[in-house]
Amino acid sequence: MTHPATSELHENYLFFQRSVAKFVNEHRGQYALLHAQSVIAFFDKPIEAALAGASQFPDGKYSVQKVTDRPADLGFMAYGAGDRNPD
């Protein structure tokens, strides 16, 4: 059984992935505080978003995502299976 907080984080992430294109022009490089599949606010620093989330949602059901149109660089872990040649 999935923990409710884990499910909330997953749903926030899916919402953000579907919606990020709407935020990029105005909020590129900022951090979105997410709760209940909606953006609560944007912040310039991730710690600001995390502190706001902790104070507004003490149950921990919030997440923070960076607004960018570039995929996350997972470095070495991106090649965790299969062909190790990135080309």
Side-chain angles (χ1 to χ4, degrees), residues 9-61:
L9 294 176
H10 181 70
E11 292 300 319
N12 282 345
Y13 178 75
L14 293 176
F15 160 77
F16 187 77
Q17 290 302 305
R18 289 189 307 267
S19 307
V20 70
K22 294 184 246 180
F23 310 133
V24 169
N25 287 337
E26 198 169 330
H27 300 285
R28 183 186 314 271
Q30 291 185 308
Y31 296 84
L33 172 60
L34 305 165
H35 175 72
Q37 293 120 60
S38 63
V39 174
I40 304 304
F42 294 95
F43 298 86
D44 291 328
K45 297 179 181 178
I47 189 66
E48 294 170 345
L51 290 172
S55 69
Q56 293 179 52
F57 309 108
D59 61 1
K61 293 183 180 180

Side-chain angles (χ1 to χ4, degrees), residues 59-81:
D59 61 1
K61 293 183 180 180
Y62 68 92
S63 55
V64 174
Q65 292 288 328
K66 185 172 185 178
V67 179
T68 180
D69 55 357
R70 298 183 65 196
D73 180 4
L74 301 177
F76 178 75
M77 294 306 293
Y79 307 107

